[in-house]
Amino acid sequence: LYYRLKDYKTSKAHISEAQRLNKLIQNHRETAVSFNSIGNIQIEIGSVNSALHYFSRTLEFFIKCGDRIGQSIACINLGDCYS
């Protein structure tokens, strides 16, 4: 909701809390999704280097949980940072 309202600061705060909880319970897929969401926020605010970091972490966690579709999405997002 906050992302769609372009309230990126609030959006990132909620996503970061979800990410913290997912790491705590070692839910690698949802941790990856959180990293991906933060990467998307970074793209929206024009912080490409930060987005690259978050999309790299996204890929790392999708690899950990064996999610091939997630890995593909992470690779696409990484590539989009260079376009």
Side-chain angles (χ1 to χ4, degrees), residues 41-54:
I41 290 170
Q42 297 306 309
I43 287 292
E44 288 296 319
I45 65 173
S47 185
V48 176
N49 286 335
S50 184
L52 284 168
H53 164 76
Y54 285 107

Side-chain angles (χ1 to χ4, degrees), residues 4-63:
R4 289 189 178 145
L5 294 172
K6 298 188 186 295
D7 182 352
Y8 300 124
K9 183 177 180 181
T10 304
S11 180
K12 186 176 177 183
H14 286 289
I15 294 166
S16 294
E17 177 61 12
Q19 184 180 59
R20 184 187 71 77
L21 295 170
N22 284 316
K23 282 183 178 178
L24 188 67
I25 62 171
Q26 297 184 349
N27 185 335
H28 298 312
R29 185 182 187 291
E30 291 304 317
T31 299
V33 170
S34 297
F35 275 120
N36 191 66
S37 295
I38 295 173
N40 286 328
I41 290 170
Q42 297 306 309
I43 287 292
E44 288 296 319
I45 65 173
S47 185
V48 176
N49 286 335
S50 184
L52 284 168
H53 164 76
Y54 285 107
F55 291 143
S56 294
R57 298 285 289 164
T58 299
L59 179 58
E60 176 186 330
F61 277 89
F62 276 134
I63 289 170

